[in-house]
Amino acid sequence: MEFLQKAIVKAFADVFETEISATQVNLEQTKKEFEGHVTFVVFPFVRQTKKSPEQTATLLGQYLQANCQEVESFNVIKGFLNLALTDAYWLGVFKNEVLAPDFGQLPKNGQKVMIEYSSPNTNKPLHLGHVRNNLLGFAVSNLLESAGFEVIKANLVNDRGIHICKSMLAWQKFGKGETPENAGLKGDHLVGKYYVIFDQEYKKQINELLGQGLSEEEAKKQAPLIKEAQQMLLKWEQGDAEVISLWKKMNGWVYAGFDETYKKLGVSFDKYYYESDTYLLGKDLVEEGLQKGVFFEKADGSVWIDLTADGLDEKLVRRADGTSVYITQDLGTAQLKYDEFNCDQSIYVVGNEQDYHFKVLFLILEKLGKSWAKGLYHLSYGMVDLPSGKMKSREGTVVDADDLIEEMKLTAKEKTEALGKVDHFSDEEKDQLYQMIGLGALKYFLLKVEPKKRLLFDPNESIDFQGNTGPFIQYTHARIKSVLKKAGFVTGEVSFPAQLGTTEVELLQLLSRYPQIVEQAAKDYNPAAIANFAYDLAKTYNKFYQTESILKTEDELVKAFRLQLSASTAQTLNMAMAILGIEVPERM
């Protein structure tokens, strides 16, 4: 509302003979309990006006009403000046902004950003924690694209290490040639099964050794299985043909399983990185850091960085035997990403248990003189908890992503059929709808909360056709589409009525805010702002639908306008939900 900022600057000059800049004029949406559309807070300016807050606000209001044609009326609550804008202004916003072909898509800004998310281990299937990670990473990618960024979606797969060898060894010893095909299991579930078997057999061996008088620490080190797994890792690092062949085969099973789950979740990637390709890259950076004096070598040959002056600890970056540690690989991968894509920003979507790791990683890269390190950002998110006993889990400890998706679909089916909403649907249409509602409920529930917050996910609460849920918004979209279909609505030239109802203005005002919501949400990497906007829009439309007659209006001009307003609302709901990766049905 640049015109209003300029008008207020002029008002200060004319009424109070004092200069302020447009950047000082902060305009807020008027709170719902007060009349008006825009609020200007005058408290910061009373020293310049030399009048009380109420007098300042009143004089400004009177000036704006007389000199700014868009201002219809005003009221003052203490030092808050609430301004009501004319119907003509809101209709102009609708015509020139909301109905513009590129509404909701911000112009390209020339910035390139990489978003890394998912980052699974290839020793087990994806679980509930991965679901939040994937949905968050994908939604932030969509959000930044809508805000004008060029986005590269990346996935760093943790495909090497002792945990991978545990699954491989257990399959070798106990698998009897079992494959996803002959077991009737997804590949990631099959490999996960052998990771569990390794753990069970390892515990048996530890208990045997404890019975022989060994301490727990010694028993864990001396158990034959862990020694064999360590030997297998060593063989892998030496390029042993048999071990590499088994590793490729089992990882292949896992990737096929992951792809199925990603497809069900509706997420995708532009670039895959694999730890097996990147884990050695950081060693060059360690050498560079030693030469620059950023790192130092201890007597045993291990290499460290001292970050105590920065409020952190000493950090190992290379072991005494010359092998890399986790952060070594991350240093190399960060350099590789920049070399390949030259991004302005690189965002890591990783849980908050890794907050310290990323502080260290980014600081080391800055100390190595990497100018691009300033563009690195850790999008930290909280854990997802479940009400006790609400969801079954394959291994008894974590909720499997595939089980979760299937359970959401079944819950959607039960709730939808109980409401009798699908009697006229074919079986195929029903199946698609249950998938859409179940996944919409899951995605919306996990994304409507700010990333940094821990959340409690209740499947039943998420599938509710009332309240702040995905299905409520989906149902509103379907309702609008039903109204448009009944009216035989076709987008065309719109005629505008002379007067607007209160709920029409409310709906127009909210629609007009969508581009600003996208811009701010992108700055904050916060899809929750989009989710809650979609809920507010759906709620406001339902209020408009209950208040104003659409199809039964005798005035054809008003009817055409209300149908176009409905169509624009449906389109905006669709755009907002698409950012969250949620499909909206044409009918329900």
Side-chain angles (χ1 to χ4, degrees), residues 408 434-445 462 469-471 474 577 581-583:
M408 292 304 297
Y434 302 147
Q435 182 81 4
M436 204 183 284
I437 294 171
L439 271 173
L442 172 66
K443 291 178 180 186
Y444 187 84
F445 202 98
S462 73
T469 66
Q474 288 173 319
M577 295 294 264
I582 298 173
E583 290 182 89

PDB file of all heavy atoms in Angstrom, residues 408 434-445 462 469-471 474 577 581-583:
ATOM      1  N   MET A 408      -3.272 -43.499   6.962  1.00  0.00           N
ATOM      2  CA  MET A 408      -3.938 -42.220   6.691  1.00  0.00           C
ATOM      3  C   MET A 408      -5.037 -42.392   5.637  1.00  0.00           C
ATOM      4  O   MET A 408      -6.122 -41.828   5.747  1.00  0.00           O
ATOM      5  CB  MET A 408      -2.928 -41.173   6.210  1.00  0.00           C
ATOM      6  CG  MET A 408      -1.928 -40.720   7.257  1.00  0.00           C
ATOM      7  SD  MET A 408      -2.681 -40.063   8.749  1.00  0.00           S
ATOM      8  CE  MET A 408      -3.532 -38.636   8.114  1.00  0.00           C
ATOM      9  N   TYR A 434      -9.623 -40.890  -1.353  1.00  0.00           N
ATOM     10  CA  TYR A 434      -9.114 -41.262  -0.022  1.00  0.00           C
ATOM     11  C   TYR A 434      -7.605 -41.005   0.073  1.00  0.00           C
ATOM     12  O   TYR A 434      -7.102 -40.552   1.100  1.00  0.00           O
ATOM     13  CB  TYR A 434      -9.406 -42.735   0.280  1.00  0.00           C
ATOM     14  CG  TYR A 434     -10.878 -43.101   0.238  1.00  0.00           C
ATOM     15  CD1 TYR A 434     -11.292 -44.361  -0.189  1.00  0.00           C
ATOM     16  CD2 TYR A 434     -11.856 -42.176   0.619  1.00  0.00           C
ATOM     17  CE1 TYR A 434     -12.642 -44.694  -0.240  1.00  0.00           C
ATOM     18  CE2 TYR A 434     -13.203 -42.503   0.565  1.00  0.00           C
ATOM     19  CZ  TYR A 434     -13.593 -43.767   0.123  1.00  0.00           C
ATOM     20  OH  TYR A 434     -14.920 -44.091   0.073  1.00  0.00           O
ATOM     21  N   GLN A 435      -6.902 -41.302  -1.025  1.00  0.00           N
ATOM     22  CA  GLN A 435      -5.450 -41.039  -1.069  1.00  0.00           C
ATOM     23  C   GLN A 435      -5.195 -39.538  -0.927  1.00  0.00           C
ATOM     24  O   GLN A 435      -4.316 -39.111  -0.169  1.00  0.00           O
ATOM     25  CB  GLN A 435      -4.899 -41.555  -2.413  1.00  0.00           C
ATOM     26  CG  GLN A 435      -3.402 -41.406  -2.592  1.00  0.00           C
ATOM     27  CD  GLN A 435      -2.602 -42.505  -1.913  1.00  0.00           C
ATOM     28  OE1 GLN A 435      -3.165 -43.445  -1.362  1.00  0.00           O
ATOM     29  NE2 GLN A 435      -1.293 -42.385  -1.915  1.00  0.00           N
ATOM     30  N   MET A 436      -5.985 -38.743  -1.659  1.00  0.00           N
ATOM     31  CA  MET A 436      -5.815 -37.289  -1.658  1.00  0.00           C
ATOM     32  C   MET A 436      -6.121 -36.700  -0.282  1.00  0.00           C
ATOM     33  O   MET A 436      -5.381 -35.855   0.235  1.00  0.00           O
ATOM     34  CB  MET A 436      -6.758 -36.673  -2.711  1.00  0.00           C
ATOM     35  CG  MET A 436      -6.311 -35.326  -3.230  1.00  0.00           C
ATOM     36  SD  MET A 436      -7.500 -34.611  -4.397  1.00  0.00           S
ATOM     37  CE  MET A 436      -7.200 -35.560  -5.871  1.00  0.00           C
ATOM     38  N   ILE A 437      -7.201 -37.176   0.335  1.00  0.00           N
ATOM     39  CA  ILE A 437      -7.593 -36.649   1.653  1.00  0.00           C
ATOM     40  C   ILE A 437      -6.607 -37.116   2.732  1.00  0.00           C
ATOM     41  O   ILE A 437      -6.161 -36.329   3.568  1.00  0.00           O
ATOM     42  CB  ILE A 437      -9.031 -37.079   2.019  1.00  0.00           C
ATOM     43  CG1 ILE A 437     -10.039 -36.429   1.074  1.00  0.00           C
ATOM     44  CG2 ILE A 437      -9.366 -36.692   3.471  1.00  0.00           C
ATOM     45  CD1 ILE A 437     -11.465 -36.965   1.225  1.00  0.00           C
ATOM     46  N   GLY A 438      -6.254 -38.402   2.692  1.00  0.00           N
ATOM     47  CA  GLY A 438      -5.331 -38.946   3.702  1.00  0.00           C
ATOM     48  C   GLY A 438      -3.981 -38.262   3.676  1.00  0.00           C
ATOM     49  O   GLY A 438      -3.455 -37.834   4.715  1.00  0.00           O
ATOM     50  N   LEU A 439      -3.404 -38.130   2.478  1.00  0.00           N
ATOM     51  CA  LEU A 439      -2.107 -37.466   2.357  1.00  0.00           C
ATOM     52  C   LEU A 439      -2.225 -35.971   2.618  1.00  0.00           C
ATOM     53  O   LEU A 439      -1.324 -35.366   3.204  1.00  0.00           O
ATOM     54  CB  LEU A 439      -1.515 -37.712   0.971  1.00  0.00           C
ATOM     55  CG  LEU A 439      -0.663 -38.969   0.859  1.00  0.00           C
ATOM     56  CD1 LEU A 439      -0.266 -39.234  -0.579  1.00  0.00           C
ATOM     57  CD2 LEU A 439       0.595 -38.874   1.710  1.00  0.00           C
ATOM     58  N   GLY A 440      -3.326 -35.365   2.163  1.00  0.00           N
ATOM     59  CA  GLY A 440      -3.548 -33.936   2.425  1.00  0.00           C
ATOM     60  C   GLY A 440      -3.595 -33.657   3.918  1.00  0.00           C
ATOM     61  O   GLY A 440      -3.019 -32.680   4.402  1.00  0.00           O
ATOM     62  N   ALA A 441      -4.260 -34.557   4.656  1.00  0.00           N
ATOM     63  CA  ALA A 441      -4.367 -34.411   6.120  1.00  0.00           C
ATOM     64  C   ALA A 441      -2.989 -34.520   6.774  1.00  0.00           C
ATOM     65  O   ALA A 441      -2.618 -33.711   7.627  1.00  0.00           O
ATOM     66  CB  ALA A 441      -5.301 -35.479   6.678  1.00  0.00           C
ATOM     67  N   LEU A 442      -2.237 -35.537   6.360  1.00  0.00           N
ATOM     68  CA  LEU A 442      -0.901 -35.764   6.912  1.00  0.00           C
ATOM     69  C   LEU A 442       0.018 -34.571   6.632  1.00  0.00           C
ATOM     70  O   LEU A 442       0.658 -34.020   7.542  1.00  0.00           O
ATOM     71  CB  LEU A 442      -0.311 -37.030   6.285  1.00  0.00           C
ATOM     72  CG  LEU A 442       1.155 -37.346   6.573  1.00  0.00           C
ATOM     73  CD1 LEU A 442       1.357 -37.668   8.039  1.00  0.00           C
ATOM     74  CD2 LEU A 442       1.639 -38.507   5.707  1.00  0.00           C
ATOM     75  N   LYS A 443       0.072 -34.149   5.363  1.00  0.00           N
ATOM     76  CA  LYS A 443       0.971 -33.062   4.978  1.00  0.00           C
ATOM     77  C   LYS A 443       0.601 -31.762   5.673  1.00  0.00           C
ATOM     78  O   LYS A 443       1.466 -31.053   6.205  1.00  0.00           O
ATOM     79  CB  LYS A 443       0.934 -32.871   3.452  1.00  0.00           C
ATOM     80  CG  LYS A 443       1.551 -34.018   2.682  1.00  0.00           C
ATOM     81  CD  LYS A 443       1.445 -33.799   1.171  1.00  0.00           C
ATOM     82  CE  LYS A 443       2.058 -34.952   0.406  1.00  0.00           C
ATOM     83  NZ  LYS A 443       2.102 -34.708  -1.044  1.00  0.00           N
ATOM     84  N   TYR A 444      -0.681 -31.445   5.669  1.00  0.00           N
ATOM     85  CA  TYR A 444      -1.112 -30.184   6.252  1.00  0.00           C
ATOM     86  C   TYR A 444      -0.812 -30.149   7.753  1.00  0.00           C
ATOM     87  O   TYR A 444      -0.306 -29.153   8.279  1.00  0.00           O
ATOM     88  CB  TYR A 444      -2.612 -29.953   6.006  1.00  0.00           C
ATOM     89  CG  TYR A 444      -3.057 -28.580   6.444  1.00  0.00           C
ATOM     90  CD1 TYR A 444      -2.913 -27.477   5.605  1.00  0.00           C
ATOM     91  CD2 TYR A 444      -3.574 -28.364   7.721  1.00  0.00           C
ATOM     92  CE1 TYR A 444      -3.279 -26.210   6.014  1.00  0.00           C
ATOM     93  CE2 TYR A 444      -3.943 -27.102   8.141  1.00  0.00           C
ATOM     94  CZ  TYR A 444      -3.797 -26.035   7.282  1.00  0.00           C
ATOM     95  OH  TYR A 444      -4.149 -24.772   7.702  1.00  0.00           O
ATOM     96  N   PHE A 445      -1.096 -31.258   8.444  1.00  0.00           N
ATOM     97  CA  PHE A 445      -0.882 -31.304   9.901  1.00  0.00           C
ATOM     98  C   PHE A 445       0.587 -31.099  10.244  1.00  0.00           C
ATOM     99  O   PHE A 445       0.930 -30.395  11.193  1.00  0.00           O
ATOM    100  CB  PHE A 445      -1.373 -32.641  10.460  1.00  0.00           C
ATOM    101  CG  PHE A 445      -1.684 -32.600  11.932  1.00  0.00           C
ATOM    102  CD1 PHE A 445      -2.983 -32.441  12.377  1.00  0.00           C
ATOM    103  CD2 PHE A 445      -0.676 -32.740  12.872  1.00  0.00           C
ATOM    104  CE1 PHE A 445      -3.275 -32.412  13.742  1.00  0.00           C
ATOM    105  CE2 PHE A 445      -0.956 -32.711  14.237  1.00  0.00           C
ATOM    106  CZ  PHE A 445      -2.258 -32.544  14.668  1.00  0.00           C
ATOM    107  N   SER A 462      -6.150 -35.088  12.499  1.00  0.00           N
ATOM    108  CA  SER A 462      -5.739 -34.457  11.237  1.00  0.00           C
ATOM    109  C   SER A 462      -6.798 -34.590  10.147  1.00  0.00           C
ATOM    110  O   SER A 462      -6.859 -33.791   9.231  1.00  0.00           O
ATOM    111  CB  SER A 462      -4.417 -35.056  10.754  1.00  0.00           C
ATOM    112  OG  SER A 462      -4.617 -36.369  10.257  1.00  0.00           O
ATOM    113  N   THR A 469      -7.527 -27.954   9.272  1.00  0.00           N
ATOM    114  CA  THR A 469      -7.022 -29.209   8.724  1.00  0.00           C
ATOM    115  C   THR A 469      -6.962 -29.142   7.200  1.00  0.00           C
ATOM    116  O   THR A 469      -7.652 -28.328   6.576  1.00  0.00           O
ATOM    117  CB  THR A 469      -7.938 -30.397   9.098  1.00  0.00           C
ATOM    118  OG1 THR A 469      -9.204 -30.204   8.445  1.00  0.00           O
ATOM    119  CG2 THR A 469      -8.146 -30.524  10.597  1.00  0.00           C
ATOM    120  N   GLY A 470      -6.192 -30.052   6.621  1.00  0.00           N
ATOM    121  CA  GLY A 470      -6.127 -30.160   5.166  1.00  0.00           C
ATOM    122  C   GLY A 470      -7.489 -30.505   4.556  1.00  0.00           C
ATOM    123  O   GLY A 470      -7.915 -29.864   3.588  1.00  0.00           O
ATOM    124  N   PRO A 471      -8.200 -31.530   5.099  1.00  0.00           N
ATOM    125  CA  PRO A 471      -9.499 -31.890   4.525  1.00  0.00           C
ATOM    126  C   PRO A 471     -10.528 -30.747   4.536  1.00  0.00           C
ATOM    127  O   PRO A 471     -11.339 -30.653   3.617  1.00  0.00           O
ATOM    128  CB  PRO A 471      -9.956 -33.058   5.407  1.00  0.00           C
ATOM    129  CG  PRO A 471      -8.685 -33.697   5.845  1.00  0.00           C
ATOM    130  CD  PRO A 471      -7.736 -32.559   6.063  1.00  0.00           C
ATOM    131  N   GLN A 474      -9.546 -28.706   1.565  1.00  0.00           N
ATOM    132  CA  GLN A 474      -9.881 -29.478   0.365  1.00  0.00           C
ATOM    133  C   GLN A 474     -11.395 -29.446   0.110  1.00  0.00           C
ATOM    134  O   GLN A 474     -11.837 -29.297  -1.034  1.00  0.00           O
ATOM    135  CB  GLN A 474      -9.399 -30.930   0.518  1.00  0.00           C
ATOM    136  CG  GLN A 474      -7.877 -31.084   0.433  1.00  0.00           C
ATOM    137  CD  GLN A 474      -7.429 -32.504   0.763  1.00  0.00           C
ATOM    138  OE1 GLN A 474      -7.947 -33.134   1.684  1.00  0.00           O
ATOM    139  NE2 GLN A 474      -6.472 -33.015   0.007  1.00  0.00           N
ATOM    140  N   MET A 577      -2.016 -24.573  -1.551  1.00  0.00           N
ATOM    141  CA  MET A 577      -1.910 -25.993  -1.184  1.00  0.00           C
ATOM    142  C   MET A 577      -0.848 -26.698  -2.041  1.00  0.00           C
ATOM    143  O   MET A 577      -0.168 -27.612  -1.559  1.00  0.00           O
ATOM    144  CB  MET A 577      -3.265 -26.675  -1.323  1.00  0.00           C
ATOM    145  CG  MET A 577      -4.308 -26.147  -0.342  1.00  0.00           C
ATOM    146  SD  MET A 577      -3.936 -26.522   1.391  1.00  0.00           S
ATOM    147  CE  MET A 577      -4.923 -28.005   1.605  1.00  0.00           C
ATOM    148  N   GLY A 581       2.515 -29.141  -1.377  1.00  0.00           N
ATOM    149  CA  GLY A 581       2.523 -30.472  -1.992  1.00  0.00           C
ATOM    150  C   GLY A 581       1.199 -31.195  -1.842  1.00  0.00           C
ATOM    151  O   GLY A 581       1.148 -32.426  -1.922  1.00  0.00           O
ATOM    152  N   ILE A 582       0.116 -30.437  -1.611  1.00  0.00           N
ATOM    153  CA  ILE A 582      -1.203 -31.036  -1.362  1.00  0.00           C
ATOM    154  C   ILE A 582      -2.114 -30.822  -2.574  1.00  0.00           C
ATOM    155  O   ILE A 582      -2.263 -29.701  -3.057  1.00  0.00           O
ATOM    156  CB  ILE A 582      -1.858 -30.421  -0.105  1.00  0.00           C
ATOM    157  CG1 ILE A 582      -1.000 -30.710   1.134  1.00  0.00           C
ATOM    158  CG2 ILE A 582      -3.279 -30.956   0.093  1.00  0.00           C
ATOM    159  CD1 ILE A 582      -1.462 -30.006   2.397  1.00  0.00           C
ATOM    160  N   GLU A 583      -2.724 -31.906  -3.032  1.00  0.00           N
ATOM    161  CA  GLU A 583      -3.703 -31.818  -4.118  1.00  0.00           C
ATOM    162  C   GLU A 583      -5.066 -31.439  -3.555  1.00  0.00           C
ATOM    163  O   GLU A 583      -5.411 -31.832  -2.431  1.00  0.00           O
ATOM    164  CB  GLU A 583      -3.827 -33.159  -4.831  1.00  0.00           C
ATOM    165  CG  GLU A 583      -2.613 -33.550  -5.645  1.00  0.00           C
ATOM    166  CD  GLU A 583      -2.841 -34.871  -6.350  1.00  0.00           C
ATOM    167  OE1 GLU A 583      -3.348 -34.862  -7.482  1.00  0.00           O
ATOM    168  OE2 GLU A 583      -2.533 -35.914  -5.737  1.00  0.00           O
TER     169      GLU A 583
END
